Amino acid sequence: MKLLTLKTTKRVDTQDAMGHGMDAVFMLVLFLGAGYGLDRVAGTMPVFMILMTLLGSVGLFLKFKYRYEERMDELEAQRLGKHAPTQPNGAEHAA
């Protein structure tokens, strides 16, 4: 009797450029739409659209900046851990 194997799916890596691009487009469209809705309610057509788009752009920039810094810190910690000396101050030669 042959057992059925479950098909495993590969998780999509959202840390690549395509994931960042889709994130940026989605958020900017969302903020632009919210600004459009506020402009329709208030009767001030381009004001809230511009403000919300600028707010979304600044937010995306900060999000990408902090993600980048976090990733670089992680990679730096990996690099230092991999290349760290086994015994400090040359203690391997003292014996």
Side-chain angles (χ1 to χ4, degrees):
M1 178 162 108
K2 186 176 182 180
L3 296 175
L4 296 175
T5 59
L6 296 175
K7 184 178 180 181
T8 59
T9 58
K10 183 179 177 185
R11 186 179 169 110
V12 176
D13 182 21
T14 58
Q15 295 296 326
D16 62 352
M18 182 68 141
H20 288 297
M22 292 302 292
D23 192 19
V25 168
F26 179 72
M27 291 306 293
L28 287 177
V29 167
L30 182 70
F31 274 78
L32 182 68
Y36 179 75
L38 288 172
D39 276 332
R40 294 277 302 212
V41 170
T44 57
M45 200 38 145
V47 175
F48 284 110
M49 286 174 55
I50 293 169
L51 289 177
M52 293 296 284
T53 303
L54 288 174
L55 179 69
S57 298
V58 169
L60 279 170
F61 173 77
L62 292 174
K63 179 182 175 184
F64 291 155
K65 178 184 179 289
Y66 290 129
R67 257 194 207 168
Y68 173 79
E69 288 177 352
E70 180 182 334
R71 181 69 177 148
M72 290 300 110
D73 290 342
E74 178 184 317
L75 290 173
E76 183 69 14
Q78 285 178 2
R79 185 185 69 83
L80 291 176
K82 190 180 282 188
H83 298 298
T86 55
Q87 295 185 8
N89 299 328
E92 67 271 359
H93 297 294

